Amino acid sequence: MTTETTDTTPTPATRAADLQAIAEVVATVERTQRAKDPEGFLALFHPDALWTTAHGKVLIGLDAIAEFTRAVLPAATWDVTYEAVHTQFLRPDVAAVKVRQVYHSPAGDTEGAPLYVMTRQEDGRWLLHACQNTEVRTG
């Protein structure tokens, strides 16, 4: 009896394309947040996603994330920037992405340190699957 194995190690080109696609998701998070665009933001999520806000509110599933986002995002008074600062592939189709988030408001800037676990779908798209937003406190 022989067993055939398939090498699933991504090529450098595939890895580079995945990193670019992940960075684009983070950039789209920024664009949709800055535009106060709930629908554009929600399009980035896996249907079974879970999200924990910076203040500890746990949202399980796209319906809960959508209800919260549609209520909060359009009325937001801050501006925000996002940057993917570290990506670690847990499997070829699963990545943990550390993000630097800066909220800009008249009262001053505050920072967040989200962790996004993203999954690559069969069509190649990367989606937010499990996310924890953490407020960075100074002092």
Side-chain angles (χ1 to χ4, degrees):
M1 179 180 192
T2 60
T3 304
E4 187 176 318
T5 60
T6 303
D7 183 7
T8 59
T9 304
T11 65
T14 300
R15 182 54 50 91
D18 284 337
L19 286 168
Q20 179 59 40
I22 288 166
E24 182 55 35
V25 170
V26 174
T28 303
V29 168
E30 178 179 314
R31 278 193 305 276
T32 58
Q33 293 264 321
R34 294 179 88 177
K36 314 297 189 252
D37 174 12
E39 301 315 312
F41 178 67
L42 293 168
L44 301 172
F45 284 88
H46 187 278
D48 296 327
L50 45 113
W51 180 273
T52 303
T53 71
H55 301 289
K57 184 171 183 69
V58 177
L59 306 166
I60 299 174
L62 187 55
D63 289 344
I65 295 166
E67 181 180 354
F68 177 83
T69 300
R70 289 178 182 135
V72 173
L73 185 57
T77 59
W78 38 255
D79 192 18
V80 65
T81 56
Y82 291 82
E83 177 189 8
V85 293
H86 179 77
T87 299
Q88 182 169 328
F89 288 91
L90 306 177
R91 296 187 337 202
D93 62 342
V94 179
V97 183
K98 198 63 189 158
V99 175
R100 180 172 186 257
Q101 170 191 64
V102 180
Y103 287 102
H104 308 281
S105 74
D109 292 353
T110 58
E111 191 170 334
L115 175 65
Y116 298 162
V117 176
M118 299 175 66
T119 53
R120 186 178 56 219
Q121 308 309 293
E122 288 184 13
D123 64 3
R125 290 178 310 135
W126 283 89
L127 295 177
L128 302 169
H129 209 124
C131 305
Q132 170 76 46
N133 195 355
T134 304
E135 179 182 9
V136 174
R137 295 187 181 191
T138 55

